[in-house]
Amino acid sequence: MTSVCSAAFLRLPLLLSLVLLFTGCFSYKQVELKDITNISVEKMDGKGIAVRVDALLDNPNGYRIHVLDPDVDLYINDKYIGKGILDSALVLDRKTTRVYSVPLHADLQGGSLLMLLLSGALTGDDVKFGAKGTVVGKAGLIRKRFPFELEEQIDL
């Protein structure tokens, strides 16, 4: 029994070293949304809307970050239209600042989308697209949830 305990005791420094090394490799620096360069409506019908958001993102970390599990509320002219769903995987390259094209869609939940858009267009008001929520960033075994909010004028 003492040989088992002493063997485990000898492995403890190795295990602690690996944990410290692993956490040191994944020290996290905040990813920054620097700008929204474009928002375009890809598709719109009575059931929902599909948009493409071109976002300038800065990932200062030395590893790629996979964006997962969005919980995003979408708005047109401050009226809720539905939950945003990513249409494809988004992976932020390591140590880069670049524009990522993010396709997402929402099934209509907040009334008639067409009426919301036409009300702004007919009165000459700008049509405002908004998104607010959180996403999960994943790198290796580490996961972290990040809040965000954006608002932009869109052309129809």
Side-chain angles (χ1 to χ4, degrees):
M1 176 102 165
T2 58
S3 64
V4 172
C5 289
S6 63
F9 184 71
L10 291 173
R11 292 185 188 150
L12 185 60
L14 176 63
L15 181 61
L16 287 174
S17 298
L18 286 174
V19 168
L20 289 174
L21 177 66
F22 181 72
T23 57
C25 291
F26 285 106
S27 64
Y28 177 78
K29 296 175 189 156
Q30 184 71 31
V31 172
E32 184 180 353
L33 172 63
K34 294 205 170 263
D35 191 20
I36 300 297
T37 60
N38 186 41
I39 296 177
S40 58
V41 177
E42 301 285 310
K43 179 182 170 191
M44 183 175 43
D45 59 26
K47 296 178 183 177
I49 186 169
V51 297
R52 181 167 303 273
V53 178
D54 294 334
L56 180 62
L57 297 167
D58 175 34
N59 178 12
N61 299 289
Y63 46 87
R64 296 176 354 154
I65 296 178
H66 298 260
V67 177
L68 311 166
D69 192 24
D71 181 15
V72 182
D73 293 330
L74 299 179
Y75 300 87
I76 298 282
N77 293 338
D78 298 322
K79 304 281 189 217
Y80 176 76
I81 60 167
K83 285 283 187 191
I85 300 166
L86 280 177
D87 290 334
S88 63
L90 177 60
V91 179
L92 306 181
D93 294 329
R94 64 186 191 96
K95 292 190 177 190
T96 60
T97 300
R98 75 176 187 98
V99 174
Y100 292 87
S101 185
V102 183
L104 54 102
H105 74 277
D107 293 330
L108 185 60
Q109 294 176 0
S112 172
L113 177 62
L114 184 57
M115 290 308 292
L116 283 172
L117 293 173
L118 284 177
S119 67
L122 292 176
T123 61
D125 294 337
D126 292 328
V127 177
K128 184 171 48 173
F129 174 80
K132 182 178 181 179
T134 62
V135 295
V136 171
K138 178 181 176 248
L141 298 174
I142 298 173
R143 290 175 162 252
K144 185 171 176 155
R145 186 162 286 281
F146 302 97
F148 72 93
E149 186 171 348
L150 67 93
E151 191 173 276
E152 285 288 319
Q153 308 297 50
I154 58 173
D155 296 323
L156 298 179

